[in-house]
Amino acid sequence: MAETIAADEFRDRIDERRRGERSFAVVDTRPEESFAGWRVADAVHYFYKPFHEFDVDDFERETGLSPDDSVITLCAKGKASDDFAAELDAAGYEDVTVVADGMRGWSAVYDSTEVPLGDRPDAAPPLDLVQVQRRAKGCLGYLVVGGREPGDADHVPADRSDARDGSDRVAVAIDVSRHGDEWVEAAAERGASIAAVVDTHVHADHLSGGRALADDLGVPYYLPAAAAARDVASEFEPIERNETLDAGGVDLKALTTPGHTDDGASYLVGDAAVLTGDTLFTDSVGRTELQFSADDGGEGGADGGGVSDGGAAGAARRLYDSLHGTLLAQPDGVVVCPGHFAVANDGSTGEVEPGEPVFTTVGAARGEIDVLGLDADDFVERITRTLPEKPPNYESVIAANRGVESPADETAAIELELGPNRCAAEPDAGSPADDD
C-alpha cells in the first residue's frame, strides 16, 4: 500500500534528493496544460484520470520508470494521485508515495532562514532578520526581531509585555502571506512576540495575511500612507516617508519607492538592511503595469486607484527614480532583501537554493543587475518593451488585498493564488492551472 506524506515532508525529501541522500521520481498526473504552466522541479508528466484504464506498459514507455524505482505521485488536490498510486502498487511497484493535497499543499510550503547582516557595532541593539520563504511561489516575507526596550521612533507598536508566550524580544512582521502562523512560529523560535505587522504595498500575486494576523494578535497593521489613494477598504495605520517604526530598539524606516505600484515602500532596518518589496530583486527590478495601464494613455489599472500619469511608462520613470535616488543611494554594504525570488513554470529557481537566504547588497546590485546601468530613457524602454505574463487572477488578488472583495472560502482562496509569482520585469512564459 502506498504511503501518504504531507507537503512539508515532500519538501524535506526533495532537499535530501538534492543533497544526494535519497533517490526518487516525482510523477505529476495533471493534464498537460496544468503541468506545463506550473510544476515541481524535475517532475515527470504522466496524465492519469481516476477510473480510467491504466496501462502500465504505456506508463513505463512514457516515463522510463520501472518497479525498481521509488515513485512519488502528485496531482492538483491529492485525489487522482492517490488512485494512481494504487494502480502502481497493483502493478508491482513497491515504493510508492502520495503527496497529500497535491499542488495545493505544495503551494503552502514554507522555509524560514536568517539573513546574514555582517558586522554591527557592539552598542547596536540586538537584531535578527528572518526571511520566510514560500517555496512554490517564490514569495518572501520577513521578521525583524529586536530587543525589548523601545527605540526613538515615530510609531511604537503594541505593548507585548504581557505576551502569552512569555517572550522577551519584540518582532515586526513584514509582507505576511495568508499563512500567518509561519511568522508566529518564527518569532516564537527566537523568543519574540510580534508587536506590529507591515506590508510594503498592495500585492498582486498573493493574498496578504497582514491584516488578519494583526487582528489575531491584537497589534497594529501598517501600510504606506500612499495606499489610501488606492481606495484600500481595510483599516490600516499609515506610514509616511521617512517615518520610523520601532522593532524592539531597531528602527524600521519607511522609504517611499513608487514604480511597481504607487504605494510602494521599502523599509530600512537600522543601518543593516533594506526590505525592498517588489521594487528591487537580487537579479531584476519590479514590473510596472500590474497597477498601471500597459500603454501610455494614463489609465489606472485594476486596483481602483484611479488615473496614473503615463501608465506603465510613467511608472517606470518613477521606478527609476526610486531605484537610483533612494535604494542605490544607500551604502554599498546594506543588505538588499527582496519580496520575491523567481520561480519558473518548470519549478526551477535558477541560482536560488530554497531554504537558503535570498539577498544581495546595494553595491552588488548596482554592479551586477544590467538594467540598473541604463539611463532613464533606456531603462523605461527596456522594462516596458516586452511585458511578462501577468500573475494568475491578479485583478481579484489586488481587490482582495484592498479589502473590497473576499474569497468565498478557503478553497477559493487556495485557487485564487495558485502558481508562481510574476512581479519582476523580466518576461516569463506559461500559466498555471489547477486540474485533477
Side-chain angles (χ1 to χ4, degrees), residues 110 134 137 139 175-179 199 203-210 393 396-401 405-407 409-410 412-417:
Y110 287 80
R134 192 171 180 183
K137 290 185 67 65
C139 297
D175 284 346
V176 175
S177 74
R178 200 163 50 83
H179 309 95
D199 267 318
H203 298 279
D205 68 313
H206 69 277
L207 295 173
S208 170
N393 306 315
S396 295
V397 171
I398 290 173
N401 288 335
E405 293 183 9
S406 180
D409 52 29
E410 177 67 10
I414 291 170
E415 293 177 347
L416 189 61
E417 60 174 12

Side-chain angles (χ1 to χ4, degrees), residues 8-361:
D8 283 352
E9 185 173 348
F10 180 47
R11 171 202 58 201
D12 295 342
R13 293 193 184 189
I14 286 177
D15 290 346
E16 290 169 359
R17 183 176 66 175
R18 186 173 63 240
R19 296 191 296 264
E21 300 168 2
R22 186 186 286 266
S23 177
F24 58 85
V26 179
V27 179
D28 189 322
T29 66
R30 294 175 299 153
E32 176 64 36
E33 180 183 2
S34 302
F35 177 80
W38 180 50
R39 61 185 182 269
V40 172
D42 300 319
V44 176
H45 181 248
Y46 183 78
F47 176 61
Y48 173 80
K49 203 168 184 68
F51 310 116
H52 285 219
E53 184 177 351
F54 173 63
D55 186 334
V56 68
D57 293 332
D58 176 69
F59 166 75
E60 292 176 352
R61 252 189 327 269
E62 281 199 30
T63 64
L65 298 172
S66 74
D68 294 332
D69 293 303
S70 174
V71 176
I72 297 181
T73 65
L74 183 69
C75 64
K77 308 169 189 175
K79 298 176 182 177
S81 56
D82 189 56
D83 290 340
F84 180 62
E87 296 278 14
L88 290 177
D89 182 66
Y93 282 71
E94 296 181 355
D95 188 0
V96 182
T97 304
V98 181
V99 179
D101 299 322
M103 291 298 285
R104 291 188 179 187
W106 180 241
S107 180
V109 166
Y110 287 80
D111 298 285
S112 178
T113 183
E114 292 202 14
V115 178
L117 296 177
D119 295 333
R120 303 183 68 238
D122 292 339
L127 171 62
D128 292 326
L129 181 54
V130 183
Q131 186 177 77
V132 184
Q133 306 176 352
R134 192 171 180 183
R135 183 176 288 211
K137 290 185 67 65
C139 297
L140 301 174
Y142 295 90
L143 193 72
V144 177
V145 186
R148 167 58 64 184
E149 294 300 320
D152 183 15
D154 298 294
H155 300 273
V156 178
D159 178 11
R160 304 293 291 157
S161 60
D162 61 346
R164 57 182 176 273
D165 59 8
S167 58
D168 57 5
R169 301 184 69 190
V170 173
V172 174
I174 299 94
D175 284 346
V176 175
S177 74
R178 200 163 50 83
H179 309 95
D181 56 329
E182 298 287 339
W183 280 256
V184 174
E185 290 175 11
E189 288 172 0
R190 291 157 181 86
S193 57
I194 296 172
V197 182
V198 180
D199 267 318
T200 55
H201 64 292
V202 177
H203 298 279
D205 68 313
H206 69 277
L207 295 173
S208 170
R211 176 73 265 175
L213 180 60
D215 288 345
D216 287 346
L217 298 177
V219 303
Y221 171 61
Y222 294 89
L223 272 175
R230 297 189 66 181
D231 296 331
V232 173
S234 301
E235 184 179 352
F236 67 91
E237 299 288 336
I239 297 184
E240 299 281 357
R241 177 173 180 254
N242 292 333
E243 286 192 336
T244 56
L245 176 67
D246 175 63
V250 177
D251 279 350
L252 202 63
K253 182 179 180 180
L255 309 176
T256 56
T257 50
H260 175 68
T261 62
D262 259 350
D263 61 316
S266 299
Y267 294 96
L268 193 61
V269 183
D271 57 1
V274 61
L275 313 181
T276 56
D278 290 355
T279 300
L280 177 62
F281 304 117
T282 59
D283 58 357
S284 185
V285 300
R287 62 193 295 174
T288 61
E289 86 301 343
L290 293 181
Q291 175 186 354
F292 310 102
S293 171
D295 61 31
D296 283 341
E299 295 298 321
D303 66 317
V307 175
S308 296
D309 181 23
R317 290 190 178 276
R318 292 192 288 280
L319 179 63
Y320 180 90
D321 291 340
S322 295
L323 291 164
H324 290 273
T326 300
L327 295 179
L328 297 182
Q330 304 302 318
D332 282 359
V334 170
V335 175
V336 173
C337 298
H340 294 98
F341 62 88
V343 179
N345 290 348
D346 66 1
S348 61
T349 56
E351 296 182 359
V352 170
E353 185 170 309
E356 296 297 321
V358 179
F359 68 98
T360 186
T361 64

